[in-house]
């Protein structure tokens, strides 16, 4: 597993925690360090 992959996993964990705490998608993406388009792709893949 590369370090880049680990960092992305941690960002996703932060994103999910923020969304669970009722943050907006835009705010949670920004705080997690993720691009909003990438966040939408991640969420659409999970459905």
């Amino acid at each position: 597993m590369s370090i880049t992959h680990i960092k992305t996993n941690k960002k996703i964990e932060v994103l999910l925690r923020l969304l669970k705490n009722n943050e907006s998608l835009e705010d949670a993406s920004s705080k997690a360090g993720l691009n909003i388009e990438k966040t939408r792709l991640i969420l659409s893949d999970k459905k």
Side-chain angles (χ1 to χ4, degrees):
M1 194 180 299
S2 71
I3 189 140
T4 304
H5 185 69
I6 293 170
K7 286 183 180 181
T8 301
N9 283 344
K10 290 297 180 187
K11 288 179 182 182
I12 292 169
E13 287 177 22
V14 171
L15 172 72
L16 294 175
R17 185 170 12 106
L18 290 168
L19 290 173
K20 186 177 179 181
N21 289 328
N22 297 321
E23 289 277 348
S24 71
L25 183 61
E26 292 81 12
D27 288 344
S29 297
S30 177
K31 289 177 182 179
L34 294 169
N35 181 312
I36 188 69
E37 289 84 17
K38 186 174 183 177
T39 302
R40 287 187 177 129
L41 285 174
I42 292 167
L43 293 177
S44 68
D45 286 345
K46 299 295 180 193
K47 291 183 179 180

